[in-house]
Amino acid sequence: MSGASGDRGNRRRSPAARAALGVLGVLVPVAVGVGTYLFGEQHTPDFNSGLYGEHGITAMDLKARLGSALLCVALIQLCLALWMYGRVPGARPASRPVRLGHRVLGLLALVFSLPIAYHCLMTYGIETTSPRVAIHSFTGCAFYGAFVAKVIVVRSRHLPGWLLPAMGSLLVLGVALLWYTAALWQLGGGAAPGFPST
């Protein structure tokens, strides 16, 4: 039994199959990002949309706090990844629980981000009324495409080893940029460094 499953696992894919998987590995994340954009662009914003029973300014404040918590989770993810890759000076090699914690926390971060993204899309859709909201809108769309791309990279054994930490870093940067263009702006009373107050 182990020989049969081992043979199946060790069988090499044909160049055509690898090329098809490569194309899918690019198209699926792009489709997720573009699909999110198109939905937000075509959707009629509902400014009465709520978030956990909160509406208006209180929903925006709640979303800013949730976004701040999500940024903290992303930074913890970054620290765990650095530990797993042996980039934390003086730390012992990462144990199995650290790796499992990284995966579980990543899934929780995704699930945690969905109500925030849902509220953004339902309430505002895609906006380009200022550089801040345009950056936020486009980053939000790209974030979920990047998440799908990271899952594909995690599952693939045929991609360069540097691609996984690069994708993880892009996700952390995406969360940070989303936080900077929305949560920090909201918690700062409608202002953030680099963006004028409104």
Side-chain angles (χ1 to χ4, degrees), residues 26-90:
V26 172
L27 290 181
V28 172
V30 169
V32 169
V34 170
T36 305
Y37 172 82
L38 291 175
F39 176 82
E41 184 70 23
Q42 299 302 317
H43 169 72
T44 302
D46 177 9
F47 297 110
N48 295 317
S49 180
L51 178 65
Y52 297 117
E54 301 293 336
H55 296 81
I57 295 296
T58 55
M60 291 172 64
D61 286 340
L62 175 60
K63 193 164 58 170
R65 285 171 173 53
L66 291 173
S68 297
L70 182 60
L71 177 64
C72 290
V73 170
L75 293 174
I76 292 169
Q77 279 291 86
L78 177 63
C79 292
L80 289 174
L82 290 171
W83 188 4
M84 289 176 358
Y85 278 89
R87 301 289 188 223
V88 178

Side-chain angles (χ1 to χ4, degrees), residues 14-150:
S14 70
R18 281 195 301 240
L21 287 174
V23 168
L24 281 175
V26 172
L27 290 181
V28 172
V30 169
V32 169
V34 170
T36 305
Y37 172 82
L38 291 175
F39 176 82
E41 184 70 23
Q42 299 302 317
H43 169 72
T44 302
D46 177 9
F47 297 110
N48 295 317
S49 180
L51 178 65
Y52 297 117
E54 301 293 336
H55 296 81
I57 295 296
T58 55
M60 291 172 64
D61 286 340
L62 175 60
K63 193 164 58 170
R65 285 171 173 53
L66 291 173
S68 297
L70 182 60
L71 177 64
C72 290
V73 170
L75 293 174
I76 292 169
Q77 279 291 86
L78 177 63
C79 292
L80 289 174
L82 290 171
W83 188 4
M84 289 176 358
Y85 278 89
R87 301 289 188 223
V88 178
R92 291 186 224 166
S95 62
R96 179 175 272 232
V98 171
R99 296 176 191 283
L100 178 62
H102 181 74
R103 285 186 177 184
V104 170
L105 199 56
L107 178 61
L108 290 176
L110 173 69
V111 170
F112 192 68
S113 74
L114 292 175
I116 301 168
Y118 178 83
H119 185 263
C120 280
L121 278 172
M122 292 295 124
T123 306
Y124 307 107
I126 298 296
E127 290 188 2
T128 56
T129 55
S130 74
R132 179 188 66 81
V133 295
I135 291 169
H136 187 78
S137 291
F138 296 136
T139 303
C141 295
F143 175 79
Y144 289 99
F147 183 84
V148 171
K150 183 174 186 268

